[in-house]
Amino acid sequence: MHDPNQDRLKVPAVTYFRTKRIRLGAEFKQFLKENLAPGATLFLLECQYTWLSSHAGERHIFQFGGKGDLCPEEYFQNSQQIADFLQRYRSDHQQWNPPAPNGRLPESEWGFEPALREDVEQFAREHGFRIRRIVFNHPQDLSPTMKFTPTCSQTVFALLVLLR
């Protein structure tokens, strides 16, 4: 992920690599089996938020930009707004030149990867757990309920707390 808008001050020194679970994994499955009561409910928080992204290889996706003031399409268009932004930060450039996106995929920080649901459903069937899906479109849709916008790590943490 590379976001020259939201992370402008960090871009020269930081590169983000975000990972998304597509499987629970053996350790997490073991943790759930050891810590959940029989018949417990697994909650899946499924944010449907997507972003224009590029496939960079098998299981690798590059996302240019991120949730904020600009919509995904604006990152790929030459505009006066971007030129003014770059000038304000004394950039030598007038526009960004990102790789062309080839689809809308789950947003790197907020979007839910559907392959994880399939693995959770299979695990729940095998071990007698129930599943409750909480599906929402935008990362902040749950904010009035939760008093904050959960990040991916907070979501996993919330699941663990709810499951105990």
Side-chain angles (χ1 to χ4, degrees):
M1 176 199 183
H2 183 81
D3 187 352
N5 181 23
Q6 308 302 321
D7 300 323
R8 182 75 186 152
L9 299 176
K10 295 185 252 179
V11 164
V14 175
T15 300
Y16 288 102
F17 288 95
R18 291 203 166 106
T19 60
K20 285 197 182 297
R21 281 193 167 276
I22 58 173
R23 302 279 181 255
L24 285 172
E27 293 83 8
F28 197 43
K29 287 178 181 181
Q30 187 63 36
F31 172 83
L32 294 173
K33 288 189 286 189
E34 290 174 359
N35 290 281
L36 297 181
T41 300
L42 303 174
F43 291 86
L44 286 177
L45 300 178
E46 299 184 26
C47 181
Q48 303 299 300
Y49 195 59
T50 62
W51 199 267
L52 291 171
S53 302
S54 306
H55 285 278
E58 185 181 346
R59 297 177 40 203
H60 293 87
I61 296 165
F62 178 73
Q63 177 179 310
F64 186 76
K67 187 181 93 52
D69 294 335
L70 299 175
C71 71
E73 292 76 15
E74 289 177 292
Y75 279 90
F76 299 93
Q77 300 168 351
N78 293 335
S79 71
Q80 190 60 46
Q81 180 183 9
I82 292 173
D84 292 344
F85 173 83
L86 291 170
Q87 183 180 13
R88 195 167 45 250
Y89 287 96
R90 295 183 172 93
S91 172
D92 294 334
H93 303 280
Q94 293 295 308
Q95 303 296 327
W96 294 316
N97 188 24
N102 56 17
R104 287 192 83 93
L105 300 165
E107 201 271 344
S108 66
E109 185 174 0
W110 311 101
F112 179 79
E113 174 52 56
L116 178 61
R117 179 185 333 108
E118 297 166 14
D119 195 49
V120 171
E121 288 172 343
Q122 180 179 343
F123 174 78
R125 279 191 304 274
E126 290 172 0
H127 298 284
F129 297 121
R130 295 172 296 164
I131 296 176
R132 291 290 179 257
R133 294 175 59 209
I134 301 170
V135 181
F136 51 101
N137 293 319
H138 194 273
Q140 291 160 326
D141 286 350
L142 295 181
S143 292
T145 305
M146 300 180 90
K147 304 293 185 220
F148 70 97
T149 302
T151 65
C152 291
S153 60
Q154 290 168 326
T155 299
V156 170
F157 213 57
L159 288 174
L160 296 179
V161 171
L162 287 170
L163 296 174
R164 294 198 96 175

Coordinates of all heavy atoms in Angstrom, one line a residue, residues 38-87:
P38 N -18.4 -25.0 24.2 CA -19.1 -25.7 23.2 C -20.3 -24.9 22.7 O -21.1 -24.4 23.5 CB -19.5 -27.0 23.9 CG -18.6 -27.2 25.0 CD -18.3 -25.8 25.5
G39 N -20.5 -24.9 21.4 CA -21.6 -24.1 20.8 C -21.5 -22.6 20.8 O -22.5 -21.9 20.5
A40 N -20.3 -22.1 21.1 CA -20.1 -20.7 21.2 C -20.4 -20.0 19.8 O -20.4 -20.7 18.8 CB -18.7 -20.3 21.6
T41 N -20.6 -18.7 19.8 CA -20.8 -18.0 18.6 C -19.6 -17.3 18.1 O -19.0 -16.5 18.9 CB -22.0 -17.0 18.7 OG1 -23.2 -17.7 19.1 CG2 -22.3 -16.2 17.5
L42 N -19.2 -17.5 16.8 CA -18.1 -16.7 16.2 C -18.7 -15.5 15.5 O -19.6 -15.7 14.7 CB -17.4 -17.6 15.2 CG -16.8 -18.9 15.8 CD1 -16.2 -19.7 14.6 CD2 -15.7 -18.6 16.8
F43 N -18.2 -14.3 15.8 CA -18.7 -13.1 15.1 C -17.7 -12.7 14.0 O -16.5 -12.6 14.3 CB -18.9 -12.0 16.1 CG -20.0 -12.2 17.1 CD1 -19.8 -12.9 18.2 CD2 -21.2 -11.6 16.8 CE1 -20.8 -13.1 19.1 CE2 -22.2 -11.8 17.7 CZ -22.0 -12.5 18.9
L44 N -18.2 -12.6 12.8 CA -17.4 -12.1 11.7 C -17.8 -10.6 11.4 O -19.0 -10.4 11.1 CB -17.6 -12.9 10.5 CG -17.0 -14.3 10.5 CD1 -17.3 -15.1 9.2 CD2 -15.5 -14.2 10.6
L45 N -16.9 -9.7 11.5 CA -17.1 -8.3 11.1 C -16.7 -8.2 9.7 O -15.5 -8.2 9.4 CB -16.4 -7.4 12.0 CG -16.8 -7.5 13.5 CD1 -15.9 -6.5 14.3 CD2 -18.2 -7.2 13.7
E46 N -17.6 -8.0 8.8 CA -17.3 -8.1 7.3 C -17.5 -6.7 6.7 O -18.6 -6.4 6.2 CB -18.1 -9.1 6.6 CG -17.9 -10.5 7.1 CD -18.7 -11.6 6.4 OE1 -19.0 -11.3 5.2 OE2 -19.0 -12.6 7.0
C47 N -16.5 -5.9 6.7 CA -16.6 -4.6 6.0 C -16.4 -4.8 4.5 O -15.4 -5.4 4.0 CB -15.4 -3.7 6.6 SG -15.5 -2.0 5.8
Q48 N -17.4 -4.3 3.8 CA -17.4 -4.5 2.3 C -16.7 -3.4 1.6 O -16.8 -3.3 0.3 CB -18.9 -4.5 1.9 CG -19.7 -5.6 2.5 CD -19.2 -7.0 2.3 OE1 -19.1 -7.4 1.1 NE2 -18.8 -7.7 3.3
Y49 N -16.0 -2.5 2.3 CA -15.3 -1.4 1.6 C -14.2 -1.9 0.7 O -13.4 -2.7 1.0 CB -14.7 -0.5 2.7 CG -14.2 0.8 2.3 CD1 -15.2 1.7 1.8 CD2 -12.9 1.2 2.5 CE1 -14.8 3.0 1.4 CE2 -12.5 2.5 2.1 CZ -13.4 3.4 1.6 OH -13.1 4.7 1.2
T50 N -14.2 -1.4 -0.6 CA -13.3 -1.8 -1.6 C -12.5 -0.6 -2.1 O -12.8 0.6 -1.8 CB -14.0 -2.4 -2.8 OG1 -14.9 -1.4 -3.4 CG2 -14.8 -3.7 -2.4
W51 N -11.4 -0.9 -2.8 CA -10.6 0.2 -3.4 C -10.0 -0.3 -4.7 O -9.8 -1.5 -4.9 CB -9.4 0.4 -2.4 CG -8.7 1.8 -2.6 CD1 -7.6 2.0 -3.4 CD2 -9.1 3.0 -2.1 NE1 -7.3 3.3 -3.4 CE2 -8.2 4.0 -2.6 CE3 -10.1 3.4 -1.2 CZ2 -8.3 5.3 -2.3 CZ3 -10.2 4.7 -0.9 CH2 -9.3 5.7 -1.4
L52 N -9.7 0.7 -5.6 CA -9.1 0.3 -6.8 C -7.7 -0.2 -6.5 O -6.9 0.5 -5.9 CB -9.0 1.5 -7.8 CG -10.4 2.0 -8.3 CD1 -10.2 3.3 -9.0 CD2 -11.0 1.0 -9.2
S53 N -7.4 -1.4 -7.0 CA -6.1 -2.0 -6.7 C -5.5 -2.7 -7.9 O -6.3 -3.0 -8.9 CB -6.2 -3.0 -5.5 OG -6.7 -2.3 -4.4
S54 N -4.3 -3.1 -7.8 CA -3.6 -3.9 -8.9 C -3.1 -5.2 -8.4 O -2.5 -5.2 -7.3 CB -2.4 -3.1 -9.4 OG -2.8 -1.8 -9.8
H55 N -3.3 -6.2 -9.1 CA -2.7 -7.5 -8.8 C -1.2 -7.4 -9.1 O -0.8 -7.1 -10.2 CB -3.3 -8.7 -9.5 CG -4.7 -9.0 -9.0 ND1 -4.9 -9.8 -7.9 CD2 -5.9 -8.7 -9.4 CE1 -6.2 -10.0 -7.7 NE2 -6.8 -9.3 -8.6
A56 N -0.4 -7.7 -8.1 CA 1.1 -7.6 -8.3 C 1.7 -9.0 -8.4 O 2.9 -9.1 -8.6 CB 1.7 -6.8 -7.2
G57 N 0.9 -10.0 -8.3 CA 1.4 -11.4 -8.3 C 0.4 -12.2 -7.5 O -0.5 -11.8 -7.0
E58 N 0.7 -13.5 -7.5 CA -0.1 -14.4 -6.8 C -0.2 -14.1 -5.3 O 0.9 -13.9 -4.7 CB 0.4 -15.9 -6.9 CG -0.6 -16.9 -6.3 CD -0.1 -18.3 -6.4 OE1 0.8 -18.6 -7.2 OE2 -0.6 -19.2 -5.7
R59 N -1.4 -13.8 -4.8 CA -1.6 -13.4 -3.4 C -0.9 -12.1 -3.0 O -0.7 -11.8 -1.8 CB -1.1 -14.5 -2.4 CG -1.9 -15.8 -2.6 CD -1.4 -17.0 -1.8 NE -1.0 -16.5 -0.4 CZ -0.1 -17.2 0.3 NH1 0.4 -18.3 -0.1 NH2 0.1 -16.7 1.5
H60 N -0.6 -11.2 -4.0 CA 0.0 -9.9 -3.7 C -0.8 -8.9 -4.5 O -1.1 -9.0 -5.7 CB 1.4 -9.9 -4.1 CG 2.3 -10.7 -3.3 ND1 2.5 -12.0 -3.6 CD2 3.0 -10.5 -2.2 CE1 3.3 -12.6 -2.7 NE2 3.6 -11.6 -1.8
I61 N -1.3 -7.8 -3.7 CA -2.1 -6.8 -4.3 C -1.4 -5.4 -3.9 O -1.0 -5.3 -2.8 CB -3.5 -6.9 -3.7 CG1 -4.2 -8.2 -4.2 CG2 -4.3 -5.7 -4.2 CD1 -5.4 -8.5 -3.4
F62 N -1.4 -4.5 -4.9 CA -0.9 -3.2 -4.6 C -2.1 -2.2 -4.6 O -2.8 -2.2 -5.5 CB 0.1 -2.8 -5.6 CG 0.7 -1.4 -5.4 CD1 1.5 -1.1 -4.3 CD2 0.2 -0.3 -6.2 CE1 2.0 0.2 -4.1 CE2 0.7 1.0 -6.0 CZ 1.6 1.2 -4.9
Q63 N -2.1 -1.4 -3.5 CA -3.2 -0.4 -3.4 C -2.5 1.0 -3.3 O -1.7 1.2 -2.5 CB -4.0 -0.7 -2.1 CG -5.1 0.4 -1.9 CD -5.9 0.1 -0.7 OE1 -6.4 -1.0 -0.5 NE2 -6.0 1.1 0.2
F64 N -2.9 1.8 -4.2 CA -2.4 3.2 -4.2 C -3.5 4.1 -3.7 O -4.6 4.2 -4.2 CB -2.1 3.6 -5.7 CG -1.4 5.0 -5.7 CD1 -0.1 5.1 -5.4 CD2 -2.1 6.1 -6.1 CE1 0.5 6.4 -5.4 CE2 -1.5 7.4 -6.2 CZ -0.2 7.5 -5.9
G65 N -3.3 4.7 -2.5 CA -4.2 5.6 -1.9 C -5.0 4.8 -0.8 O -4.8 3.6 -0.6
G66 N -5.8 5.5 -0.1 CA -6.5 4.9 1.0 C -7.7 5.8 1.5 O -7.8 7.0 1.1
K67 N -8.5 5.3 2.3 CA -9.7 6.0 2.8 C -9.3 7.4 3.3 O -8.4 7.5 4.1 CB -10.4 5.2 3.9 CG -11.7 5.8 4.3 CD -12.3 4.9 5.4 CE -12.0 5.4 6.8 NZ -12.2 6.8 7.1
G68 N -10.0 8.4 2.9 CA -9.8 9.8 3.4 C -10.5 10.8 2.5 O -11.6 10.6 2.1
D69 N -9.8 11.9 2.2 CA -10.4 13.0 1.5 C -10.7 12.7 0.1 O -11.6 13.3 -0.5 CB -9.6 14.3 1.6 CG -9.5 14.8 3.1 OD1 -10.4 14.5 3.9 OD2 -8.5 15.5 3.4
L70 N -9.9 11.9 -0.6 CA -10.1 11.6 -2.0 C -10.8 10.2 -2.2 O -10.6 9.3 -1.4 CB -8.7 11.5 -2.7 CG -7.9 12.8 -2.7 CD1 -6.5 12.4 -3.3 CD2 -8.6 13.9 -3.4
C71 N -11.7 10.2 -3.2 CA -12.3 8.9 -3.5 C -11.2 8.1 -4.3 O -10.3 8.6 -4.8 CB -13.6 9.1 -4.2 SG -13.4 9.7 -5.9
P72 N -11.4 6.8 -4.4 CA -10.4 6.0 -5.1 C -10.1 6.4 -6.5 O -8.9 6.5 -6.9 CB -11.0 4.6 -5.1 CG -11.9 4.5 -4.0 CD -12.5 5.9 -3.8
E73 N -11.1 6.8 -7.3 CA -10.8 7.2 -8.7 C -10.0 8.5 -8.7 O -9.2 8.6 -9.7 CB -12.2 7.5 -9.4 CG -13.0 6.2 -9.6 CD -13.7 5.7 -8.3 OE1 -13.8 6.5 -7.3 OE2 -14.2 4.6 -8.3
E74 N -10.1 9.4 -7.8 CA -9.3 10.6 -7.8 C -7.8 10.4 -7.8 O -7.0 11.2 -8.2 CB -9.8 11.6 -6.7 CG -11.2 12.1 -7.0 CD -11.6 13.0 -5.8 OE1 -11.8 12.5 -4.7 OE2 -11.7 14.2 -6.1
Y75 N -7.4 9.3 -7.2 CA -5.9 9.0 -7.1 C -5.3 8.8 -8.5 O -4.1 8.9 -8.7 CB -5.7 7.8 -6.2 CG -5.7 8.2 -4.7 CD1 -6.8 8.1 -4.0 CD2 -4.5 8.5 -4.1 CE1 -6.8 8.4 -2.6 CE2 -4.5 8.8 -2.7 CZ -5.7 8.8 -2.0 OH -5.6 9.1 -0.7
F76 N -6.2 8.4 -9.4 CA -5.7 8.0 -10.7 C -6.0 9.0 -11.8 O -5.7 8.8 -13.0 CB -6.3 6.6 -11.1 CG -5.9 5.6 -10.1 CD1 -6.7 5.3 -9.0 CD2 -4.7 4.9 -10.3 CE1 -6.4 4.3 -8.1 CE2 -4.4 3.9 -9.4 CZ -5.2 3.6 -8.3
Q77 N -6.5 10.2 -11.4 CA -6.9 11.2 -12.4 C -6.0 12.4 -12.1 O -5.7 12.8 -11.0 CB -8.3 11.7 -12.2 CG -9.3 10.6 -12.4 CD -10.7 11.0 -11.9 OE1 -10.9 12.0 -11.3 NE2 -11.7 10.1 -12.2
N78 N -5.5 13.0 -13.2 CA -4.8 14.3 -13.1 C -5.8 15.4 -12.8 O -6.8 15.5 -13.5 CB -4.0 14.6 -14.4 CG -2.9 13.6 -14.6 OD1 -2.4 13.0 -13.7 ND2 -2.5 13.4 -15.9
S79 N -5.6 16.1 -11.7 CA -6.5 17.1 -11.4 C -5.8 18.3 -10.7 O -4.7 18.2 -10.2 CB -7.6 16.6 -10.4 OG -7.0 16.4 -9.1
Q80 N -6.5 19.4 -10.7 CA -5.9 20.6 -10.1 C -5.8 20.4 -8.6 O -4.9 20.9 -7.9 CB -6.8 21.9 -10.4 CG -6.1 23.2 -10.0 CD -4.8 23.4 -10.7 OE1 -4.6 23.2 -11.9 NE2 -3.8 23.8 -9.9
Q81 N -6.8 19.7 -8.0 CA -6.8 19.4 -6.6 C -5.5 18.7 -6.2 O -4.8 19.1 -5.2 CB -8.0 18.6 -6.2 CG -8.0 18.2 -4.7 CD -9.2 17.3 -4.4 OE1 -9.9 16.8 -5.3 NE2 -9.4 17.1 -3.1
I82 N -5.1 17.7 -6.9 CA -3.8 17.0 -6.6 C -2.6 17.9 -6.9 O -1.7 17.9 -6.1 CB -3.7 15.7 -7.4 CG1 -4.8 14.7 -6.9 CG2 -2.4 15.0 -7.3 CD1 -5.0 13.5 -7.7
A83 N -2.6 18.6 -8.0 CA -1.5 19.5 -8.3 C -1.4 20.6 -7.1 O -0.2 20.8 -6.7 CB -1.7 20.3 -9.6
D84 N -2.5 21.1 -6.6 CA -2.4 22.1 -5.5 C -1.9 21.4 -4.3 O -1.1 22.0 -3.5 CB -3.8 22.7 -5.3 CG -4.3 23.6 -6.4 OD1 -3.4 24.0 -7.2 OD2 -5.5 23.9 -6.4
F85 N -2.3 20.2 -4.0 CA -1.9 19.4 -2.8 C -0.3 19.2 -2.9 O 0.4 19.5 -1.9 CB -2.6 18.1 -2.8 CG -2.1 17.2 -1.7 CD1 -2.5 17.3 -0.4 CD2 -1.2 16.2 -2.0 CE1 -2.1 16.4 0.6 CE2 -0.7 15.3 -1.1 CZ -1.2 15.4 0.3
L86 N 0.2 18.8 -4.1 CA 1.6 18.6 -4.2 C 2.4 19.8 -4.1 O 3.5 19.9 -3.5 CB 1.9 17.9 -5.5 CG 1.4 16.4 -5.6 CD1 1.4 15.9 -7.0 CD2 2.1 15.5 -4.7
Q87 N 1.9 20.9 -4.6 CA 2.5 22.2 -4.5 C 2.6 22.7 -3.1 O 3.6 23.2 -2.6 CB 1.8 23.3 -5.4 CG 2.5 24.6 -5.4 CD 1.8 25.6 -6.2 OE1 0.7 25.4 -6.7 NE2 2.5 26.7 -6.5

